[in-house]
Amino acid sequence: YLMMGLLTARQYFNDPGEAETTLRTKINALWNGVEWDWYRKDGSDMLYWNWSPEYGWAVNVPVRGWNECLITYVLAASSTTHTIPVSVYETGFAFNGAIKNNNSYYGYVLPLGKPYGGPLFFEHYSFMGINPGNLSDQYADYHIQTVNHTLINYSYCKENPKSYYGYSSSCWGLTASDIPGGYNANSPTSDEGVIAPTAAVSSIAYTPEESMQAIRFFYYKLGNKIWGQYGFNDAFDLNEAWFSGSYIAIDQGPQIAMIENYRTGLIWDLFMSCPEVQA
């Protein structure tokens, strides 16, 4: 995510003057220094998390399956200094096709991922920079993936099968967030009754009408119970009258980027203009 942001900034600060030229040079040095291929762990067809100088690869967690990590494989493939072959994407992230779903939920076909799609942040983090519109491969049409996953999440909250107080077409959005007493990867299959505003807000580029309906509810109905110095608080549970007092960067950040993508497409246009990413 850091590199996605730095490359976006590199494309934005394109003035030929000394200050912006120096900035681009520094960004390129950082970008070209990332050893993406090293995380193949001895040349395997997969990228791995969690190496450390003290414990090596002891945790041994592969980065695979439909989740928030698409950007890792995209940037690894984009690198001109430490690239990966396509086999690493196909065997590693795509899990030899096991990321496919293609079942229908609430009338929406879900190309990839878990039943009902999992937490909505799967469709936000990588797609702050990657534009899913007109993007497809042998596994999915990513416009359909991002929109339908969001509409499944919305429809689940609207149907409200667990009869949680407050869930509706105006109050929806399940993704990883604070919950009373802890943290949970909220989704239709892991629903604790907690709504995270970032889920609906960050989906505004996919479901503008449904997201604006939620934003108006959060702001005008719940108001200062969840609105503060940095925007909406992380989460709330109307069953327990619980309102998180926290702001979590990985939930606040996508709201800003995706609102801008909805308004102007700026972040998408900048990141997708990188010649390395295009290649």
Side-chain angles (χ1 to χ4, degrees):
Y1 306 130
L2 170 64
M3 284 300 152
M4 176 168 58
L6 287 175
L7 289 175
T8 301
R10 186 194 73 182
Q11 298 302 103
Y12 181 79
F13 292 106
N14 59 5
D15 186 89
E18 182 180 356
E20 294 190 13
T21 299
T22 299
L23 176 62
R24 291 192 300 273
T25 299
K26 290 181 176 180
I27 289 173
N28 283 330
L30 291 167
W31 157 239
N32 291 325
V34 178
E35 298 180 31
W36 306 94
D37 55 341
W38 189 78
Y39 287 89
R40 292 174 66 184
K41 198 182 75 166
D42 302 322
S44 67
D45 274 343
M46 199 177 312
L47 299 179
Y48 285 82
W49 289 116
N50 301 112
W51 181 87
S52 79
E54 187 173 355
Y55 297 103
W57 298 105
V59 179
N60 203 42
V61 177
V63 184
R64 73 183 332 179
W66 181 249
N67 54 39
E68 72 277 21
C69 300
L70 175 64
I71 186 63
T72 313
Y73 280 83
V74 168
L75 288 177
S78 300
S79 173
T80 59
T81 53
H82 296 280
T83 193
I84 58 170
V86 68
S87 59
V88 176
Y89 172 70
E90 292 173 342
T91 302
F93 190 69
F95 212 164
N96 294 313
I99 60 170
K100 290 183 179 179
N101 182 311
N102 288 326
N103 290 307
S104 181
Y105 308 92
Y106 300 106
Y108 301 104
V109 174
L110 183 69
L112 305 174
K114 304 175 180 180
Y116 295 88
L120 265 183
F121 72 87
F122 290 179
E123 315 304 339
H124 300 150
Y125 292 1
S126 291
F127 294 106
M128 288 186 287
I130 299 171
N131 184 350
N134 300 315
L135 184 68
S136 62
D137 62 13
Q138 64 268 46
Y139 307 110
D141 178 315
Y142 292 92
H143 172 75
I144 294 173
Q145 171 67 26
T146 52
V147 171
N148 284 8
H149 183 183
T150 307
L151 288 170
I152 290 164
N153 197 290
Y154 164 81
S155 298
Y156 170 87
C157 293
K158 183 178 177 181
E159 184 186 71
N160 192 14
K162 292 189 174 182
S163 300
Y164 285 129
Y165 178 73
Y167 279 32
S168 71
S169 60
S170 298
C171 185
W172 63 274
L174 303 179
T175 194
S177 73
D178 283 346
I179 62 172
Y183 193 82
N184 186 54
N186 302 303
S187 74
T189 57
S190 181
D191 181 12
E192 302 284 340
V194 175
I195 297 293
T198 186
V201 178
S202 299
S203 296
I204 191 168
Y206 311 140
T207 53
E209 292 183 10
E210 294 85 353
S211 292
M212 280 304 304
Q213 195 168 342
I215 290 168
R216 291 187 177 101
F217 179 86
F218 299 152
Y219 188 78
Y220 290 110
K221 298 297 184 182
L222 299 181
N224 61 10
K225 290 183 175 65
I226 63 166
W227 179 263
Q229 184 178 4
Y230 302 110
F232 293 120
N233 294 123
D234 192 59
F236 60 89
D237 180 347
L238 295 180
N239 301 277
E240 306 293 335
W242 172 85
F243 304 93
S244 170
S246 67
Y247 302 95
I248 298 178
I250 56 172
D251 291 342
Q252 301 301 99
Q255 295 179 59
I256 298 167
M258 297 304 277
I259 287 171
E260 190 59 33
N261 282 330
Y262 163 67
R263 291 178 66 247
T264 67
L266 176 65
I267 311 302
W268 282 340
D269 290 345
L270 289 168
F271 180 74
M272 300 295 280
S273 74
C274 294
E276 303 97 321
V277 173
Q278 290 180 8

